[in-house]
Amino acid sequence: MIGTEMPARLSSPVLIGRVAEMTALENALERAEAGSPVLILVGGEAGIGKSRIVAEIAARGRERDDLVLEGSCVSIGSEEGLPFAPVAEALRGWLRGADPHLVDSVMDAATRELGRLVPELLASGGEAALAATPAEWAQTRLFDAFLILLERLGEQRPVVLIAEDLHWADRSTRDLLSFVARRLRTERVLVIGTYRSDELHRRHPLRPWLAEMERLPHVEQVAMPRFDADEVADLVAAIDGGDGVSARLLDAVTRRSEGNPFFAEELLASGADAGELPARLRDVLLGRMGSLSDDAGRVLAAASVAGGPVEHALLRGVLALDDERLTAALEEAIAASLLVPAGTDGGGYTFRHSLLGEAVQDELLASERRRLHGAYADALAARATPEGAAGASHLAALAIHANAAGDSALALRASIAAARASAATSGYFEAARAYERALTLWDIVPAADRPMDEDHVELLFETSGAFQTAIEPGRAREAARAAVSRVDPDREPLRAARLGERLAWATYLAGDLTEAVSLMRRIGDGIERMPASAEGARCLSSLATLTLYAGSYSEAAAFAERAIAMSVATGAPGPEVEAMGALGAALALLGDCEQGLGALRSGLERARELGDAVAIGMAFLGLASTLYDCDALEESVEVGLEGSEWARGSRIPGFSTMAVEGLLPLGRWREAEAILASVAVDWDEGSGALWNAIFGGIMAARAGRPDDAAALVDVRRTGTDMLTDTAFAGYLAGGLIELALLEGRLDDARSGVDDGLRWLDHGEDVRFRARVLRLGVSVEAEIATIARARRDTDAEAMARSIGSARLERLRALLAAKDDRTSPVFGEARGNLLLAEAEVTRLDDHPDPAAWNAAADAFTTPRRPYELAWCRYRAAESMLALRHPRAEVAAVLGEANRLAVEIGAAPLADAVVRLARIARLTLPAADAGGGTDADIDASAAVDGRDADDDAADPYGLTAREREVLGLLAAGQTNRAIAESLFISESTASVHVSNIIGKLGVSNRVEAAAAAVRAGLAR
């Protein structure tokens, strides 16, 4: 044991200054204790006192019986640290002192994944070993388990989680903290992270992470400034203990330290007088070490190379000192306040400040550093590898030390083992980096010294998989391409096919679906010439799926049938289930919903028999989506909700929003938005988050929330790689067009139609092209209406030409694809009828019958948004043709009821505005579809009763009708005055009255309203 002799005081026994910073931290602690969680990032230069202030708040938390969990990031010769180091350290520290009954109470199926980091969490309760988790879900499940543990611990008492030195954090740790910050709601949790701001060069990985975190609502920043002269004086006085220092020395310390507390402490500790104080911090630090014994110097040298806290036993092995000499040397270093005990059990040592270790290591000769790294490598290699995150860190440290010592063969073996250990803890990015280091070493290490049981091509394959899981598709593609290039397909055809399949998926995820399909086609051609095999079935299944994504449904069905036949012949159930999903979707999209849905239901049943979580989730998703395609909207929602419930019960991320697609056309937007709001971004990463943003954006646009709908613009910017996916491109294009219409950006809406048609210009899709073409006709009808109001004949002619061309293209599409019976083309048929009705607006030939025909198409299944739109436009046409007012009011009332029922605010506003202009009374529909009171849109205007002039449903005076006619002709107030022989000011008053009575906001809208209602031509 190390003696307890107290070292000379180097630090102040009390906290100096930091009033504002401590106030921020104390307020955050109080809020967290009350159930308002906070994540605080404390930044400042090295030596500024970040750890000191965090220690203060931790101490205050303990005084209040809060649970304090502490861990630090560790870096050994690299910018990014060991996988999950601070989290694993915090968990091990908690477990070491926790009541076993408490551990048992918080560890169950929801938190078991944490056993991948700290296996002792399972061992404490006699838990069985963890089952394998699909790689694409493992990290999210691990993250969720950690958050649940924090929540459960917080129910017992508030939790303070401290993660120090985030400038050395590995990406998995950063991602975990991001996840926690996004998911925090009412947990009694305070998370504090510290980082060196002066370490963050332009490309440092923490920079973008900090920028992302600053935007989150629960995240706050605390910046640590340097001390001013008074604070340095207070620090010196507190350290000196009242003995007093000369004014000259105090001035020198203040000037030389430049307000850095650690530098000031070390200047005082140097013992030099004012005239001898070193100018550089390194000189100060090294000067204090000059008086130590040789053994203490060796201990400091070895500790500096460790890269972080070092265990007593490991240090003994590295230095080859007996316990007596090692203990004496350690006591000397601790007494000099150079080293301090480290670890929750005090069984290790670290420098009082990392700057001390950096200074010592910088002074070592290269040969001495290499020798010490070699000693660490030998000592680590001789020790058993722990499990969990500790094992991954052990192997990563071994690889780094061995490489620094020049032992490339050992570094290669350790890097491979570290990669697999990191992957086992769900640290996939760290695994990929370790694989990359191994691949670099492979080319350096002589063939005879390479591991005999390892294969270079398979290492490339594993590297690709790690990057793919870490959502780094570009690098996954590079590794997969390298693997493919090293295999001769004539000699090893099945292996080449397996590697090629990985390359195809990496290519697809990198945003090149066309090239991915091309790669798989070549592989599929080769599979046809080989004997049946499970590998061949898997490749054919992937080919079917990717071809389906590309919209080539006939080919997808054919590939899927071949994959199923080969799967059955070889007894490979996994590819069979995937192929059944592709077959079912393809058949349905080709018009055979009965066969397609049958295949999908069989696939779901087969997946359940196998108990394959990935297959079950994908089968639920495929069935729900295809029921939607087949216009079975209610059943699509039922299956989606059932699948989501299964996913929640199984703790499987990525399937919580399956019902949203069906809820959208049914007008059940409140339910859909509640589902999306309940799902954190991190549960649906990558493409899942983009899909959620699209559905949410479409609903926001229809509900009249343009700020929320702007998420569609973000998806357009960030989701370019997904535009080769037909459904993704179709939904996004439609949403962007609707947003542009909402905001009155008609030119953008027109170009959005062109973009959408370009994105969809491949494959056999009907649904989305029909939707975009119909929206295109609506856009041109709107442009033509405004052009007529402005008497802009050129603009009107162009709109009519473009709109008519869109309609003809839509007619041709349906004529070529629609069998007139299959429900899969039902929405497209409705869109054709809706486009035909929009042409009556385009050509200024009001026709209620056209709108009623379109409405009938959206009655079964009931699509209330489209139905309300058709009723609104039908009523507008009826007004223009002077239909009986009671009939118009009934139709407009139905439009209003539907719009209010689903929350389509802009459409409801347009309905009420038209009713007010026409002086009609509408039943007032509530959000549930009931009627509370009437909207009296027929209130007397200018003292006239509505029935006084049935030919004028707008309540305008004769003079105002004259003015409106001239205004619609595009005349200015001066021109109107000259035409009617009135003053310009009088004309202006008439125009203002007209705008008010029509319920519009400007002259152009007034003219457009008059044209729509038939008052002006």
Side-chain angles (χ1 to χ4, degrees):
M1 293 291 293
I2 302 301
T4 58
E5 179 184 350
M6 292 296 292
R9 179 185 293 166
L10 266 75
S11 299
S12 168
V14 295
L15 183 67
I16 302 299
R18 307 306 187 201
V19 175
E21 294 80 9
M22 275 303 296
T23 298
L25 287 168
E26 288 174 334
N27 287 341
L29 180 61
E30 291 174 0
R31 282 179 280 145
E33 290 170 338
S36 296
V38 186
L39 189 151
I40 287 195
L41 297 170
V42 181
E45 64 183 278
I48 204 66
K50 301 180 295 295
S51 296
R52 177 62 187 269
I53 196 171
V54 169
E56 287 285 334
I57 201 67
R60 298 189 189 187
R62 290 189 181 97
E63 290 171 0
R64 296 152 75 138
D65 197 33
D66 295 345
L67 174 62
V68 179
L69 308 177
E70 297 178 272
S72 298
C73 303
V74 179
S75 175
I76 304 177
S78 65
E79 198 161 74
E80 296 204 34
L82 302 177
F84 292 116
V87 178
E89 181 184 350
L91 290 175
R92 285 194 296 268
W94 165 71
L95 183 61
R96 199 170 285 120
D99 183 334
H101 296 295
L102 172 62
V103 176
D104 291 342
S105 70
V106 298
M107 294 303 300
D108 59 15
T111 53
R112 279 173 51 79
E113 288 292 319
L114 292 172
R116 301 189 189 280
L117 292 184
V118 182
E120 302 92 315
L121 288 170
L122 302 182
S124 66
E127 295 275 359
L130 285 166
T133 298
E136 58 267 36
W137 300 339
Q139 191 174 83
T140 303
R141 293 182 69 175
L142 174 71
F143 290 1
D144 193 56
F146 183 67
L147 181 65
I148 291 171
L149 178 65
L150 291 179
E151 179 183 5
R152 290 177 176 177
L153 292 175
E155 291 170 355
Q156 304 289 326
R157 52 180 172 147
V159 176
V160 179
L161 172 65
I162 297 170
E164 291 253 45
D165 297 325
L166 291 178
H167 49 280
W168 289 327
D170 57 295
R171 198 179 86 171
S172 293
T173 294
R174 296 196 302 269
D175 289 346
L176 173 55
L177 292 177
S178 295
F179 181 90
V180 169
R182 283 187 167 85
R183 295 288 302 276
L184 289 171
R185 294 294 182 269
T186 59
E187 298 83 358
R188 295 199 298 167
V189 173
L190 170 63
V191 181
I192 303 175
T194 68
Y195 66 94
R196 285 191 193 174
S197 55
D198 53 331
E199 292 276 338
L200 306 186
H201 55 75
R202 186 171 58 86
R203 301 188 64 183
H204 195 288
L206 195 67
R207 273 190 176 276
W209 183 83
L210 289 172
E212 172 195 345
M213 294 290 283
E214 287 174 359
R215 293 192 290 268
L216 300 179
H218 293 289
V219 176
E220 299 173 8
Q221 284 269 6
V222 171
M224 298 284 288
R226 293 184 174 189
F227 278 175
D228 59 25
D230 289 340
E231 289 170 325
V232 173
D234 290 342
L235 177 69
V236 170
I239 294 173
D240 182 65
D243 293 336
V245 297
S246 68
R248 185 177 173 212
L249 177 58
L250 176 59
D251 179 66
V253 169
T254 302
R255 285 186 292 103
R256 298 283 176 84
S257 69
E258 296 181 329
N260 185 294
F262 176 71
F263 196 180
E265 292 170 353
E266 290 297 323
L267 286 167
L268 280 177
S270 69
D273 62 31
E276 298 173 345
L277 286 180
R280 297 187 309 153
L281 176 60
R282 179 173 299 170
D283 295 333
V284 176
L285 302 179
L286 295 177
R288 286 216 299 123
M289 299 171 193
S291 60
L292 297 179
S293 67
D294 288 345
D295 281 351
R298 291 178 61 196
V299 165
L300 293 176
S304 75
V305 173
V310 57
E311 296 176 15
H312 186 96
L314 181 58
L315 196 56
R316 182 178 58 229
V318 169
L319 292 171
L321 289 174
D322 59 45
D323 275 334
E324 183 177 351
R325 288 176 62 188
L326 177 60
T327 298
L330 285 166
E331 288 179 339
E332 186 179 357
I334 291 172
S337 291
L338 297 170
L339 293 182
V340 293
T344 53
D345 59 355
Y349 314 96
T350 191
F351 283 93
R352 184 174 77 87
H353 196 286
S354 56
L355 288 173
L356 289 164
E358 293 165 16
V360 173
Q361 185 175 166
D362 286 346
E363 289 300 305
L364 293 177
L365 296 174
S367 59
E368 178 63 8
R369 279 200 302 271
R370 188 162 52 248
R371 186 191 67 75
L372 285 169
H373 279 300
Y376 272 110
D378 291 341
L380 289 169
R383 308 179 86 184
T385 302
E387 295 182 337
S393 294
H394 172 96
L395 292 165
L398 172 57
I400 292 170
H401 284 303
N403 192 47
D407 190 345
S408 299
L410 176 58
L412 171 59
R413 294 193 299 273
S415 294
I416 295 171
R420 291 169 181 159
S422 293
T425 66
S426 303
Y428 294 105
F429 185 76
E430 291 69 41
R433 286 170 59 90
Y435 275 123
E436 282 191 319
R437 288 192 290 269
L439 292 169
T440 299
L441 289 165
W442 189 276
D443 295 331
I444 297 172
V445 175
D449 294 334
R450 294 170 186 161
M452 297 298 293
D453 56 347
E454 299 292 349
D455 181 277
H456 190 210
V457 171
E458 293 305 315
L459 286 178
L460 285 164
F461 183 79
E462 291 179 42
T463 303
S464 175
F467 273 124
Q468 193 161 300
T469 307
I471 317 179
E472 294 276 351
R475 297 168 80 173
R477 184 180 187 180
E478 292 173 9
R481 184 181 288 123
V484 168
S485 69
R486 285 165 171 78
V487 173
D488 184 348
D490 294 328
R491 297 179 60 187
E492 298 180 277
L494 276 180
R495 190 186 195 195
R498 175 172 61 87
L499 299 173
E501 183 203 19
R502 167 62 59 76
L503 175 58
W505 279 110
T507 300
Y508 163 67
L509 293 172
D512 193 345
L513 176 59
T514 302
E515 177 60 19
V517 171
S518 178
L519 285 166
M520 284 309 305
R521 285 185 193 280
R522 293 195 292 272
I523 294 169
D525 291 342
I527 294 293
E528 295 295 328
R529 297 190 293 271
M530 302 179 207
S533 65
E535 291 86 351
R538 184 176 298 105
C539 290
L540 287 174
S541 177
S542 292
L543 174 56
T545 301
L546 288 170
T547 308
L548 175 72
Y549 292 169
S552 299
Y553 306 134
S554 300
E555 286 187 300
F559 291 138
E561 288 173 340
R562 284 150 56 188
I564 292 170
M566 190 174 291
S567 297
V568 172
T570 59
E576 177 189 6
V577 172
E578 181 183 352
M580 291 171 77
L583 176 62
L587 289 175
L589 290 167
L590 288 168
D592 193 344
C593 281
E594 182 178 356
Q595 290 292 323
L597 291 172
L600 286 161
R601 291 190 173 100
S602 297
L604 176 57
E605 182 179 351
R606 185 80 172 105
R608 281 172 157 162
E609 291 172 0
L610 295 172
D612 185 331
V614 175
I616 294 172
M618 295 305 296
F620 266 121
L621 182 60
L623 180 57
S625 182
T626 305
L627 284 165
Y628 170 91
D629 290 332
C630 292
D631 254 12
L633 302 182
E634 295 286 355
E635 189 178 358
S636 171
V637 171
E638 291 175 11
V639 170
L641 292 174
E642 180 187 353
S644 297
E645 185 62 29
W646 164 82
R648 279 191 295 273
S650 303
R651 308 211 60 76
I652 302 297
F655 295 102
S656 299
T657 60
M658 284 189 279
V660 170
E661 185 177 30
L663 291 168
L664 174 58
L666 288 171
R668 293 161 61 179
W669 300 347
R670 295 174 183 86
E671 294 175 61
E673 291 186 321
I675 291 174
L676 292 176
S678 70
V679 179
V681 172
D682 303 80
W683 271 96
D684 284 291
E685 294 180 306
S687 61
L690 295 175
W691 273 107
N692 293 347
I694 289 176
F695 288 132
I698 291 172
M699 288 184 285
R702 294 180 178 182
R705 303 194 310 271
D707 289 346
D708 294 339
L712 293 161
V713 180
D714 294 335
V715 174
R716 172 66 182 90
R717 185 179 63 255
T718 60
T720 303
D721 293 347
M722 292 285 294
L723 291 177
T724 49
D725 184 307
T726 298
F728 184 91
Y731 272 116
L732 178 58
L736 288 169
I737 296 165
E738 290 192 45
L739 175 59
L741 284 169
L742 171 68
E743 296 179 332
R745 296 181 287 104
L746 298 182
D747 288 341
D748 289 345
R750 176 183 279 171
S751 62
V753 174
D754 292 332
D755 288 342
L757 294 174
R758 186 176 69 255
W759 298 342
L760 296 167
D761 191 22
H762 63 273
E764 300 171 275
D765 165 68
V766 175
R767 174 188 300 276
F768 296 106
R769 278 187 287 177
R771 187 181 298 176
V772 171
L773 285 166
R774 186 268 297 172
L775 283 168
V777 179
S778 298
V779 169
E780 300 308 322
E782 206 61 35
I783 293 173
T785 300
I786 292 175
R788 277 192 293 273
R790 292 172 170 167
R791 291 297 190 262
D792 188 340
T793 56
D794 291 341
E796 180 187 0
M798 177 181 289
R800 293 179 65 178
S801 174
I802 295 173
S804 297
R806 307 270 203 226
L807 176 62
E808 289 307 315
R809 187 171 173 181
L810 178 52
R811 287 170 174 163
L813 175 65
L814 269 292
K817 300 290 186 181
D818 185 12
D819 60 4
R820 301 186 183 281
T821 59
S822 173
V824 80
F825 301 116
E827 182 189 335
R829 294 186 203 111
N831 274 318
L832 175 57
L833 289 169
L834 189 46
E836 300 274 11
E838 290 285 4
V839 165
T840 66
R841 287 206 306 137
L842 180 73
D843 293 338
D844 195 24
H845 292 301
D847 184 0
W851 289 105
N852 290 333
D856 290 343
F858 295 111
T859 302
T860 306
R862 184 173 177 269
R863 295 173 180 263
Y865 182 74
E866 288 81 0
L867 188 55
W869 179 262
C870 291
R871 295 304 188 211
Y872 162 58
R873 290 303 185 187
E876 186 180 63
S877 298
M878 293 167 71
L879 279 172
L881 297 176
R882 304 295 193 268
H883 279 224
R885 293 169 56 77
E887 294 179 11
V888 178
V891 174
L892 206 54
E894 183 184 0
N896 183 54
R897 178 180 59 79
L898 289 168
V900 171
E901 172 189 319
I902 63 178
L907 180 52
D909 290 345
V911 169
V912 171
R913 187 181 304 115
L914 181 60
R916 186 168 62 246
I917 293 172
R919 305 180 74 220
L920 296 172
T921 299
L922 299 178
D926 64 19
T931 301
D932 295 331
D934 288 344
I935 298 175
D936 186 4
S938 60
V941 180
D942 290 341
R944 300 169 358 131
D945 187 270
D947 294 330
D948 289 348
D949 189 355
D952 171 23
Y954 308 104
L956 303 178
T957 65
R959 175 64 83 185
E960 285 169 347
R961 290 197 299 274
E962 290 178 318
V963 171
L964 180 57
L966 296 172
L967 186 152
Q971 290 194 15
T972 65
N973 286 353
R974 175 175 293 181
I976 292 171
E978 292 174 352
S979 298
L980 298 178
F981 303 100
I982 58 178
S983 69
E984 186 175 346
S985 61
T986 300
S988 176
V989 170
H990 284 311
V991 170
S992 296
N993 288 339
I994 291 167
I995 289 173
K997 291 179 180 181
L998 267 59
V1000 295
S1001 58
N1002 55 53
R1003 300 166 64 91
V1004 173
E1005 289 183 6
V1011 171
R1012 284 198 300 268
L1015 182 65
R1017 297 292 183 200

